[in-house]
Structure formats: structure tokens, C-alpha cells
């Protein structure tokens, strides 16, 4: 039985349609009729040159460079790309122009090897970008690739791999399909099995129908579901589809070169019948198969038993497609290219030769054809520009088609989008997703990824030894965010902002400090105020009872100085609470150091006074002169001046200033006072600590002096409390940050001051207010006499 595929029938009819259209056009080749011969090029290495030689020589057993043909000479050959590769060398002997349709072949573009070949299909320079743009649109990052194992396939793979790497996409696998593949052994089916087993749900198929014939048949027969195939219009799979929705290629996305519709072509197809073209044996053969007619075995032309209303329009899509395919469109353009070339040649000859002269030109026709074809540019009847000058060829635009199969072969291709390489980056592809029918088994847009996307708050960490599309999701570190999907690195928030709990956005930090309205600040301020009032009250009690023995016995002037300094200590804590500013930063540490130096030096002076007072009781001692001269009181100004000098040097070299701390407390910027020179700060503290330690030592040695109205033990205990507070303060101060550190210092000021106030003055106030009978000169003398007689004085 003679057979012919439907694709070839449409190609043949496209050629006939173009020839008839040209012959009807009075402005193209006037007074000249364009004709054609049809030959079947068999895709077999042993027989592919048989019909070309028969056409060239006119003999069944053709001999190159000899011809027995009679009649008109052919001016050009139109063939498929695969055929041209094989017979191109033969036709080069005759310098006959060859116009090829089908997949662009880089080999045929070699002008030195094939100077007579003109490829009607533009070079697929933008196809890789088009497919990558589609992948980016649907976020497909893990894609498989199956290509024909020939030069154009390898060239496309190189372009696609480069575009995918540039845009962060990965190839899950690459399967090379041999040009000659029969799938006769289990090993031959290995590419099919790997495609089926791959986790990639999107597979790009690139090649021609001949290379993919066996693979397409097996894929279609297997009824693979859940995979989206992306291919070009050059790859035909209509013969492999089933008459049901359950088929492999349902939902395939097809890239087809953009061209205008030629509506008159469908009108031509509706009227094309074997009766209209009785000399066309190929149309008769196809008719007999499509409509179940009987055909004469003698001439393969005579048909019997055909339906009276038989037409190509009645055939289902899988048997014949009424829409002009890309191959038919380029055949249509090829015929018009030949016609335009001939028209220019005849026009040139008519202009070059005077009227009435005859004779043939001296230039052979093939040379004239080549001189026109190599730079030919024209607009076809559909309004599309046609360009055979490869130096001026522009990147191609593509229509994106969706193959939708329906029962009984009623499938069709629906245009669902468009690609233009001239649109802005990121906008190359426009799609109408609501028109897309996805592969069988998919109810929504499929995903094709090696690893699930890392959502906001996570960054991608590439797995060692694997492609970049295979990664793990790592939580962003503190103060780092990822506000988009699949970010390679987390972004660190600026200093004035912090990362939220989800690590997907930066929030402005709240400015904070030890404020009066904070619970901590409010509590410390309340304590400071209470202690200040208590100190002032104590001072008032001492002033009111200044002539009583208990006040006079312990040097009331030193007591007044100590109470005033303690009052100032409690009040200076207010400099540490509230919003820091330049004035408070300069005053707080300086004031703290000076008033505490005044308080501790006053305690030291009182201690020395107690010691000298008991030493002066023994005859012959010089201590009496020191006591009467008020020498112990000189300790206070000396120590105060030393501390004042240190503070002056501190302020002159590196004074404190207002600073911010954006790291100690999450989500907050802490306003604080920077001490400026840490060395100067610790020198001031060191002097104060040394003074306190010396005072404690003297008080400790005088602790066993007589008790009545003697405050030696109270001074010792008060300095023990004072030193304990500040020894504890140092490590705690170093280990805290922000406003807690300020609170620790305020608490230490209040605790140490309260220790001095409570240990030294509270017992005296109790005697003055609660036991006035003990605050008398008689009691003082009796107690003093007993203490001296016992010999209690040891120092």
C-alpha cells in the first residue's frame, strides 16, 4: 500500500497554493507561468539520492553531470533541511539554488561548503531565551532536556545551558537521541526510562521529527502523565497521540515562529480534491487512506467508493490540520522568494536590453538567481517581512501554542502566549494562563524544582557537589532578613533597624533609655527621693539637737559635711535617670565621683578624729595638739582636690558624650552616655576605691574603742557595707549592657549611700528621738570613766 504522512500533504498543498497565487498575480511574473515538479525524498542513506538523481538526469538510473530531460529547466529546489544535508553536495555540482525549510542547520549555513543553500527558517538565536523566559515565568528551575544528536541539537543545548546558567536555572538531565534509533533492545530504551524516572516535571524536546519518531511513539504509547513537554513546531507528534484525553502529549507547550494568518489558504484546502488535481498522485494516495477509498494499484490515481462530500475539512485534527504549519508557511515563503528573484531577473533584463533585441543573456541563470537570493528582502502577501540576507536577519519572535487533545482526534493547538526578544527584560513573555490545558493529571500550574523554594526569612545554601538549584533552606541569622523567595543571602538590617521574628522585614528600632516613667526608673527615682528626704530629715534632727552630747561628741561639723554629701549623692542619681543629653553626660560621673569623695573623706576624717580623741587622753602625747588644731579636717579638701584634678584631666582630654547602643537590646536603640576615656573613668573610680579602702582600714583598727557616744564600730560597719557594694558593682557593671548597666550604677550609689546613712546616723537618731535620757552629759561622763579605767583603749 502506498502511504504518505499528512504533514507532507500540507507542505505539498502549500506549494501548490503559493504557485497558484503567484500565477494569478498580474504584478508578479506577468506573462509567465510558474510550475513545479514533486519528488519524494526517502529518508534512507542508501536511497535518499535516488529521486534527486532521477530529477537531474531524467533517467531511472541517473548518472551525474548527464541529463536526458526535455522541457523547462528548473530554477530552484525546495526541500526539507534533513534532505538538503544529504543531497546538498550533489546539487552543488549544478549550482542550483536550494531553499530549505525545517529546523535551522548550522552546517548548511557554511557558505564555503554549501554556497547554494538558503535556509528559509531564521536562525534560532532567541529560542533558548524564549524557553528560559517561559521557565522563569512559571518558576521552573529544574528542567530536563532531550535533543537530537546532531549539530543543531548540540548548538541549541549550548545556547540553552548558557541562558539557564545566566538566570539561575539548572538542567536535571540531558538525553542525546541518536539520529538513527530503532529501540530494539532494553539498552535503547534507557533514555525513555530516565526521562520517566526524573524528578523534573518539565522536559524540553528539541530536534526533528525523524530523530524523535521512535522516542515519541514510545512516550505516547506509555501514557506518561504529570510531565509538561516544551518543544518547537518542528517536532511533530500527531501520529503518536491517542483518541482520548489520557495521552502523553496533552498540554504540551510549543514554540512556533510568529507569522500572520493566511486565511485564503484554508479556503484553498477546502476545495483541494483529487478530482481538482488529477495529476497529483500524492493527494490521491492520501485521499484513499483518509476516506477509506479504493485506489487503482496500476497508477495509484483512480479512486472509487469515496464519500461524495469528502474534503480535508472533514478530517479530524490528527489526520489533517487545516491550520498552516510552520513548515508550510516557509514553503509558501520559499516559492514567493523564487518568484521574486525571477521577477527581478526578468525586470533587470528588460531594462538592460533595448526593445526589439533578442538573444539570451551571457550570464547563466543560476548565477543570476544567486546574486538576487543572497540579499533578497520582500514582504509576502500576508504582510510579513521575508529576509534571506543573513547579515541583516533579526532575532525571531515566537507564538506559544498549547496542544490540547480531545476524544476522537479532535485535538488542536491553541495560541496561549507570545515571546518577543525586543520587549524589556522580564517582559519577553506574555501568557494567557487561563487558556492553558496542563498535562493529564495536573489540575494547576505544575512545579519543577530540585528543592522546594526557601520562603521569606530563609536563604539558600547550595549542597556540596550538586547543582545550584539543589539547596537547603537556612534560617537568617539575628538581624538578617530575606524578604523574597529563594534569596541566596540574607540582608543585614541597618543599625537603626532590627529583624522581626519571621526575619522577613526590618523594623525601626525603638529609642529607649532609663526613663522616669519606666518601672525600673520610677522605682530608683522613688528610692532616691525617699533617701534624700530621710537624709535631709536627719540633718534637721542634728541641727536641732546640735548642743546635745551625742552630736557634739562626734564632731558635728564633720557630721554636717557627711550628711550634706550623702544628700548630694542621693540627688546625683537623678542625673542617671531620664533622656541623656550633653549636660547630664558631663555631670553624672563627675558629680558622682566628687560627692562620694567628699562623703568618704568625711568618714575618714571622723575616723581619724575618734582615734586622735582617745590618743589625746594620755599625758605627754602630741595628739592633743593635732586634735585641737583640726588637722583631721584637712583630709577632706586634700582628697577632694585630688579627685577634682583627676576629673578636670578627664574632661579636658576625653569627656563623656551622648552615644547610642543598637546591639545590646533586640529591637531597641539605647541612648546612653559614653564615658569617653575609659582610662580616666577607672582612674577616678580607682582613687575613690583606694580612699574607701583606706577609710575602712583605719575604721577597722579603731573598732574596739569605748562604745558610749563613740561611732568607731558604726564607721567600720558602714565602710564594710560601702566597700561590699562597690566590689560587687564592678563585675555586675561589666556584664550588663544598656539601661540595665545604668540602673546597676544608680542602685550602687543608693545602696552605698544608704549604708553610710543607716550605719552612722540611724543609731544616733534613735537615741536623740527615742532615748533622750541617754543623750546627757552625766551619762557620757560615767561611761567615759568606766571605759578608761578598764584600759579599753588599744590602738
Amino acid at each position: 500500500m502506498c502511504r504518505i504522512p499528512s504533514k507532507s500533504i500540507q507542505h505539498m498543498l502549500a506549494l501548490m497554493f503559493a504557485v497558484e497565487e503567484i500565477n494569478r498575480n498580474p504584478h508578479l511574473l506577468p506573462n509567465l507561468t510558474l510550475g513545479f515538479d514533486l519528488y519524494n525524498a526517502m529518508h534512507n542513506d542508501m536511497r535518499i539520492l535516488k529521486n534527486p538523481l532521477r530529477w537531474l538526469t531524467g533517467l531511472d538510473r541517473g548518472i551525474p553531470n548527464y541529463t536526458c530531460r526535455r522541457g523547462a529547466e528548473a530554477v530552484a529546489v525546495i526541500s526539507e533541511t534533513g534532505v538538503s544535508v544529504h543531497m546538498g553536495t550533489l546539487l552543488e555540482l549544478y549550482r542550483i539554488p536550494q531553499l530549505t525549510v525545517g529546523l535551522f542547520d548550522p552546517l548548511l549555513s557554511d557558505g564555503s561548503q554549501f554556497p547554494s543553500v538558503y535556509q528559509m527558517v531564521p536562525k534560532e538565536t532567541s529560542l533558548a531565551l524564549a524557553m528560559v523566559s517561559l521557565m522563569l515565568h512559571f518558576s521552573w528551575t529544574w528542567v530536563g532536556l532531550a535533543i537530537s544528536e546532531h549539530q543543531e541539537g548540540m548548538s541549541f543545548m549550548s545556547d540553552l545551558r548558557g541562558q539557564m546558567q545566566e538566570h539561575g536555572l539548572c538542567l536535571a538531565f540531558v538525553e542525546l537521541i541518536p539520529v538513527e534509533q530503532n529501540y530494539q533492545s532494553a539498552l535503547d530504551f534507557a533514555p525513555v526510562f530516565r526521562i520517566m524516572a526524573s524528578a523534573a516535571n518539565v522536559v524540553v524536546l528539541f530536534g526533528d521529527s525523524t530523530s524523535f519518531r521512535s522516542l515519541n511513539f514510545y512516550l505516547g504509547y506509555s501514557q506518561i502523565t504529570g510531565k509538561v513537554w516544551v518543544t518547537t513546531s518542528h517536532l511533530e507528534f500527531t501520529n503518536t497521540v491517542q483518541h482520548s484525553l489520557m495521552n502523553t502529549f496533552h498540554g504540551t507547550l510549543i514554540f512556533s515562529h510568529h507569522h500572520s494568518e493566511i486565511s485564503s489558504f484554508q479556503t484553498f484546502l477546502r476545495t483541494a480534491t483529487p478530482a481538482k488535481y488529477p495529476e497529483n498522485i500524492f493527494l490521491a494516495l492520501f485521499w484513499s487512506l483518509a476516506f477509506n477509498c479504493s485506489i487503482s494499484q496500476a497508477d495509484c490515481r483512480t479512486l472509487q467508493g469515496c464519500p461524495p462530500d469528502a474534503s480535508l475539512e472533514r478530517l479530524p485534527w490528527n489526520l489533517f490540520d487545516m491550520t498552516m504549519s510552520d513548515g508550510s508557511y516557509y514553503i509558501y515563503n520559499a516559492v514567493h522568494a523564487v518568484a521574486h528573484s525571477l521577477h527581478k531577473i526578468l525586470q533587470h533584463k528588460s531594462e538592460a536590453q533595448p526593445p526589439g533585441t533578442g538573444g539570451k543573456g551571457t550570464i547563466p541563470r543560476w548565477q543570476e538567481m544567486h546574486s538576487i537570493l543572497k540579499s533578497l528582502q520582500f514582504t509576502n502577501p500576508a504582510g510579513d517581512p521575508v529576509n534571506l540576507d543573513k547579515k541583516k536577519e533579526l532575532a525571531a519572535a515566537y507564538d506559544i501554542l498549547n496542544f490540547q487533545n480531545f476524544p476522537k482526534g479532535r485535538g488542536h493547538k491553541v495560541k496561549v502566549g507570545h515571546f518577543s526578544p525586543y520587549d524589556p527584560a522580564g517582559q519577553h513573555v506574555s501568557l494567557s494562563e487561563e487558556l492553558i490545558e496542563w498535562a493529564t493529571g495536573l489540575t494547576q500550574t505544575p512545579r519543577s524544582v530540585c528543592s522546594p523554594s526557601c520562603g521569606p526569612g530563609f536563604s539558600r545554601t547550595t549542597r556540596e557537589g550538586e547543582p545550584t538549584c539543589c539547596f537547603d533552606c537556612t534560617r537568617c541569622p539575628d538581624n538578617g532578613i530575606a524578604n523574597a523567595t529563594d534569596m541566596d543571602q540574607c540582608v543585614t538590617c541597618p543599625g537603626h533597624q532590627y529583624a522581626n521574628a519571621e526575619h522577613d522585614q526590618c523594623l525601626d528600632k525603638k529609642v529607649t533609655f532609663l526613663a522616669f516613667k519606666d518601672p525600673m526608673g520610677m522605682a530608683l527615682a522613688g528610692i532616691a527621693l525617699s533617701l534624700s528626704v530621710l537624709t535631709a530629715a536627719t540633718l534637721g534632727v542634728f541641727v536641732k539637737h546640735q548642743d546635745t552630747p551625742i552630736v557634739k561628741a562626734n564632731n558635728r561639723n564633720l557630721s554636717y559635711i557627711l550628711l550634706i554629701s550623702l544628700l548630694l549623692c542621693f540627688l546625683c542619681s537623678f542625673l542617671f535617670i531620664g533622656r541623656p543629653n550633653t549636660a547630664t553626660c558631663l555631670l553624672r560621673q563627675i558629680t558622682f565621683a566628687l560627692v562620694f569623695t567628699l562623703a568618704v573623706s568625711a568618714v575618714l576624717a571622723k575616723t581619724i578624729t575618734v582615734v586622735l580623741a582617745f590618743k589625746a587622753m594620755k599625758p605627754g602625747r602630741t595628739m592633743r595638739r593635732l586634735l585641737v588644731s583640726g588637722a583631721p579636717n584637712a583630709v577632706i579638701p586634700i582628697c577632694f582636690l585630688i579627685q577634682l584634678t583627676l576629673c578636670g584631666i578627664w574632661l579636658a582630654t576625653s569627656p563623656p558624650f551622648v552615644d547610642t547602643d543598637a546591639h545590646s537590646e533586640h529591637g531597641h536603640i539605647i541612648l546612653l552616655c559614653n564615658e569617653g576615656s575609659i582610662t580616666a573613668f577607672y582612674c577616678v573610680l580607682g582613687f575613690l576605691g583606694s580612699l574607701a579602702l583606706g577609710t575602712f582600714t583605719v575604721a577597722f583598727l579603731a573598732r574596739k574603742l569605748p562604745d558610749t557616744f563613740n561611732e568607731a564600730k558604726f564607721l567600720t560597719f558602714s565602710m564594710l557595707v560601702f566597700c561590699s557594694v562597690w566590689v560587687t558593682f564592678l563585675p555586675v557593671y561589666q556584664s550588663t549592657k544598656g539601661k540595665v548597666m545604668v540602673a546597676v550604677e544608680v542602685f550602687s550609689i543608693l545602696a552605698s549611700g544608704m549604708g553610710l546613712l543607716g550605719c552612722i546616723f540611724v543609731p544616733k537618731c534613735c537615741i536623740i528621738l527615742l532615748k533622750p535620757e541617754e543623750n546627757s552629759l552625766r551619762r557620757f561622763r560615767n561611761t567615759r570613766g568606766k571605759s578608761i579605767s578598764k584600759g579599753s583603749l588599744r590602738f
Side-chain angles (χ1 to χ4, degrees), residues 19-30:
V19 169
E20 290 184 8
E21 186 178 60
I22 292 169
N23 289 335
R24 290 195 306 267
N25 189 347
H27 305 292
L28 188 61
L29 295 180

Side-chain angles (χ1 to χ4, degrees), residues 186-258:
L187 186 61
D188 294 331
F189 283 109
V192 179
F193 296 145
R194 286 193 290 266
I195 292 174
M196 294 171 61
S198 173
N201 293 324
V202 177
V203 181
V204 175
L205 305 177
F206 181 86
D208 54 28
S209 299
T210 303
S211 301
F212 274 81
R213 184 181 294 114
S214 297
L215 177 65
N216 286 350
F217 175 79
Y218 186 81
L219 290 174
Y221 180 78
S222 302
Q223 294 190 355
I224 301 173
T225 60
K227 289 192 183 294
V228 177
W229 310 95
V230 179
T231 185
T232 66
S233 57
H234 302 296
L235 188 59
E236 294 287 339
F237 47 82
T238 57
N239 293 332
T240 64
V241 301
Q242 299 82 32
H243 295 180
S244 67
L245 284 173
M246 290 293 297
N247 73 85
T248 299
F249 295 104
H250 177 71
T252 297
L253 295 174
I254 303 167
F255 282 84
S256 172
H257 286 108
H258 175 72

Side-chain angles (χ1 to χ4, degrees), residues 115-314:
S116 303
V117 175
Y118 304 91
Q119 299 192 69
M120 299 303 301
V121 180
K123 189 175 181 180
E124 309 283 8
T125 53
S126 59
L127 179 60
L129 177 60
M131 290 191 172
V132 168
S133 299
L134 180 72
M135 298 174 196
L136 292 173
H137 180 87
F138 289 115
S139 299
W140 294 334
T141 60
W142 190 242
V143 178
L145 174 64
I147 58 171
S148 299
E149 195 175 11
H150 45 45
Q151 187 170 351
E152 56 265 35
M154 304 305 292
S155 176
F156 171 76
M157 180 182 67
S158 176
D159 293 343
L160 183 67
R161 192 190 297 273
Q163 286 288 348
M164 292 181 71
Q165 289 178 349
E166 181 179 341
H167 292 86
L169 309 179
C170 304
L171 284 173
F173 61 83
V174 176
E175 292 295 340
L176 302 179
I177 310 302
V179 177
E180 297 294 335
Q181 179 65 278
N182 296 321
Y183 290 92
Q184 295 177 351
S185 66
L187 186 61
D188 294 331
F189 283 109
V192 179
F193 296 145
R194 286 193 290 266
I195 292 174
M196 294 171 61
S198 173
N201 293 324
V202 177
V203 181
V204 175
L205 305 177
F206 181 86
D208 54 28
S209 299
T210 303
S211 301
F212 274 81
R213 184 181 294 114
S214 297
L215 177 65
N216 286 350
F217 175 79
Y218 186 81
L219 290 174
Y221 180 78
S222 302
Q223 294 190 355
I224 301 173
T225 60
K227 289 192 183 294
V228 177
W229 310 95
V230 179
T231 185
T232 66
S233 57
H234 302 296
L235 188 59
E236 294 287 339
F237 47 82
T238 57
N239 293 332
T240 64
V241 301
Q242 299 82 32
H243 295 180
S244 67
L245 284 173
M246 290 293 297
N247 73 85
T248 299
F249 295 104
H250 177 71
T252 297
L253 295 174
I254 303 167
F255 282 84
S256 172
H257 286 108
H258 175 72
H259 57 79
S260 301
E261 292 293 332
I262 304 175
S263 57
S264 55
F265 179 63
Q266 291 192 355
T267 304
F268 170 79
L269 293 179
R270 292 188 187 98
T271 60
T273 63
K276 184 177 179 180
Y277 302 102
E279 75 284 355
N280 194 322
I281 185 175
F282 300 110
L283 184 59
L285 288 172
F286 177 77
W287 212 265
S288 66
L289 295 172
F291 295 103
N292 245 348
C293 308
S294 61
I295 187 170
S296 171
Q297 295 294 326
D299 58 3
C300 287
R301 294 185 184 184
T302 306
L303 295 172
Q304 295 178 350
C306 294
D309 58 348
S311 70
L312 296 174
E313 188 179 20
R314 291 178 55 109

